[in-house]
Amino acid sequence: MTGLLRSWIEAANAPDCDFPLNNLPYGSAIKDVAPHLGEGAFLHCVVAIGDMMLDVTTMEADGKISCGEMAGIVLDMGDWTNFMALGPETWKNFRSTLTDILKENSPHRTLAEPYLVPRHGANLVMPFHISEFTDFYASRHHATNVGTMFRGAENALPPNWLHIPIGYNGRASSVVVSGTPIIRPHGQLKGPNDDAPRFGPSARFDIELELGAIVGQPSSGPISVAEAFENIFGYVLLNDWSARDIQAWEYQPLGPFQAKATATTISPWIVTAEALAPFRVSTPARDVPLLPYLGESAPMLYDVALEVGLAPEGKAETIIARANYSEMYYSSAQQLAHHTSSGCPMRVGDLLGSGTISGPERENRGSLLELSWGGKEPFILDTGESRSFIEDGDTITLRGHAAGNGYRIGFGECVGQVLPARR
Ligand code: MN
């Protein structure tokens, strides 16, 4: 495994920095709150490095960087959708150019210096146009926990689970960027002892700790797992907000609908598949062999340590869960290949939620539903308060990183505060 690539931006060389030269994640920043961003465009494509970000939209406009000889102006829209559409060769070359500019003792230092902006206080927005959103159910520990609660340990895994990456088509319209407030949803609620449903605020509002995979190349028919892997541009942290009481009443027979339509929060920095390449791991051993079209030709999961923080309003945060993406039963590439198996076309900017990421231990549970075992076993925060589900004012923060030798590939934070229901 390679070590830290040193940069002339000193903060990028700290071992606990999320954004060393090895990472170079892609984001989008609004000009008004980051006034140092160059003239012209309102939205700017930016690349995180240490405590700074490089304004590549203005660099491109000034002719100081290019997405390729034939590409022309690509970054003027201020998000990464058009860049992704150019394909893996461009992704690789552009990243290599950035690395060359930002590395220690680079002869191009003076070229980049005028385009560096402090990251602190930057207003980061959605870094790409989300075409569609699909969410999966791919952690064996999560599926076993949830299945045990609802069907008993004997029948915890549905009969299809070991054969199919189970998913559902979600909403692109409700995907929001980190920092966006989340309003507690209303919905139809009916507990097991209620005679009739009622309409009211969800009392069992929850999170799901996930990674989101971003499709960077279109496909118009079935593709292989290997092709799917090549089509994934990068990854973000993803919190799939879920109203468990709405879900319990509505989900049969077509799966979740309004329970997961309130919001899905993603982190603002796209960590590229290339940055994560040194951390690839295989999916776990199979109880039953997968059908050949789902076979893994190479390791396609990543060793990414994840954590969930919960802070009651105005109070200190407690880390309520830690898990690792390497525990998943299906990789994003397998999910994407399965998604296309019917002929379903995929577009640039399709977002695939990994499914809730849980591990084998209690502390590895990636949802409050599991942490409180359906509300039966409330857990205690460092403040002394207890929680079964999210309370108004609670702020949830997801974090994640791959740990290298003397450096880390960080995702930054995926934050959302839950505000009281309205109406
Ligand atoms: Mn989910």
Side-chain angles (χ1 to χ4, degrees):
M1 191 174 286
T2 53
L4 170 74
L5 300 175
R6 295 191 66 86
S7 169
W8 48 266
I9 296 158
E10 201 44 51
N13 302 325
D16 60 348
C17 176
D18 267 353
F19 306 127
L21 185 55
N22 306 61
N23 194 348
L24 300 179
Y26 299 144
S28 294
I30 291 182
K31 179 178 162 54
D32 59 340
V33 190
H36 311 294
L37 290 169
E39 295 303 314
F42 176 67
L43 265 185
H44 291 248
C45 290
V46 288
V47 180
I49 174 79
D51 55 351
M52 307 296 279
M53 54 191 199
L54 189 65
D55 175 4
V56 287
T57 290
T58 309
M59 279 187 85
E60 187 193 51
D62 291 351
K64 302 292 172 61
I65 199 168
S66 154
C67 297
E69 274 175 34
M70 309 299 288
I73 296 295
V74 176
L75 306 174
D76 56 329
M77 299 302 284
D79 81 13
W80 294 87
T81 313
N82 292 340
F83 176 82
M84 289 196 286
L86 294 175
E89 200 59 35
T90 299
W91 307 346
K92 198 174 177 58
N93 291 340
F94 190 72
R95 183 176 157 80
S96 160
T97 300
L98 289 171
T99 305
D100 200 39
I101 291 172
L102 296 169
K103 72 183 179 195
E104 197 167 49
N105 301 321
S106 169
H108 309 297
R109 174 173 177 160
T110 51
L111 181 145
E113 268 171 337
Y115 302 97
L116 276 175
V117 183
R119 273 200 299 114
H120 181 77
N123 190 0
L124 298 172
V125 296
M126 206 50 96
F128 65 104
H129 173 76
I130 297 179
S131 176
E132 303 201 40
F133 172 50
T134 307
D135 193 33
F136 288 87
Y137 188 57
S139 155
R140 187 164 187 172
H141 301 289
H142 171 70
T144 302
N145 286 339
V146 173
T148 301
M149 269 182 260
F150 291 102
R151 288 180 298 274
E154 292 287 288
N155 303 307
L157 285 183
N160 54 4
W161 200 90
L162 294 170
H163 302 275
I164 294 183
I166 297 176
Y168 64 94
N169 288 305
R171 292 288 305 176
S173 65
S174 56
V175 180
V176 297
V177 77
S178 177
T180 307
I182 307 299
I183 297 165
R184 180 181 298 275
H186 278 67
Q188 271 209 29
L189 312 168
K190 183 185 172 302
N193 302 320
D194 298 336
D195 293 333
R198 63 193 175 83
F199 190 78
S202 169
R204 290 161 73 91
F205 197 51
D206 197 359
I207 60 147
E208 290 189 341
L209 169 63
E210 303 192 23
L211 275 194
I214 300 161
V215 177
Q217 285 288 279
S219 55
S220 56
I223 60 174
S224 69
V225 172
E227 288 166 331
F229 186 76
E230 295 302 317
N231 283 0
I232 296 172
F233 176 68
Y235 294 81
V236 288
L237 300 170
L238 186 150
N239 184 351
D240 178 26
W241 303 94
S242 301
R244 301 302 179 192
D245 38 8
I246 298 172
Q247 188 176 358
W249 169 233
E250 77 174 0
Y251 86 105
Q252 288 177 327
L254 287 183
F257 183 44
Q258 291 304 291
K260 288 166 179 283
T262 302
T264 303
T265 304
I266 64 168
S267 53
W269 296 107
I270 304 172
V271 176
T272 61
E274 197 177 343
L276 289 168
F279 306 96
R280 286 167 65 170
V281 292
S282 296
T283 47
R286 307 282 155 186
D287 285 15
V288 288
L290 291 172
L291 291 169
Y293 83 99
L294 285 173
E296 212 179 29
S297 53
M300 292 176 185
L301 282 178
Y302 299 98
D303 182 353
V304 177
L306 300 159
E307 67 177 33
V308 181
L310 189 161
E313 189 153 31
K315 295 189 181 157
E317 178 186 86
T318 302
I319 301 302
I320 59 171
R322 289 190 171 85
N324 196 300
Y325 179 64
S326 63
E327 302 258 13
M328 301 303 277
Y329 199 77
Y330 296 102
S331 66
S332 298
Q334 287 170 316
Q335 292 168 334
L336 176 53
H338 179 66
H339 207 322
T340 67
S341 61
S342 58
C344 176
M346 302 302 290
R347 300 196 193 106
V348 175
D350 262 302
L351 177 66
L352 307 188
S354 62
T356 309
I357 303 167
S358 294
E361 307 298 332
R362 190 179 193 287
E363 66 181 33
N364 306 140
R365 296 172 182 172
S367 68
L368 274 64
L369 176 73
E370 295 164 87
L371 285 166
S372 70
W373 207 251
K376 292 196 184 89
E377 299 169 14
F379 54 93
I380 309 295
L381 305 176
D382 295 346
T383 57
E385 295 159 76
S386 76
R387 284 291 183 280
S388 290
F389 292 96
I390 301 170
E391 299 200 357
D392 290 342
D394 284 355
T395 295
I396 299 288
T397 304
L398 312 185
R399 299 181 190 87
H401 71 270
N405 183 13
Y407 73 100
R408 59 198 258 175
I409 301 295
F411 282 76
E413 293 186 333
C414 177
V415 185
Q417 184 183 28
V418 174
L419 303 182
R422 289 184 190 153
R423 93 180 65 192

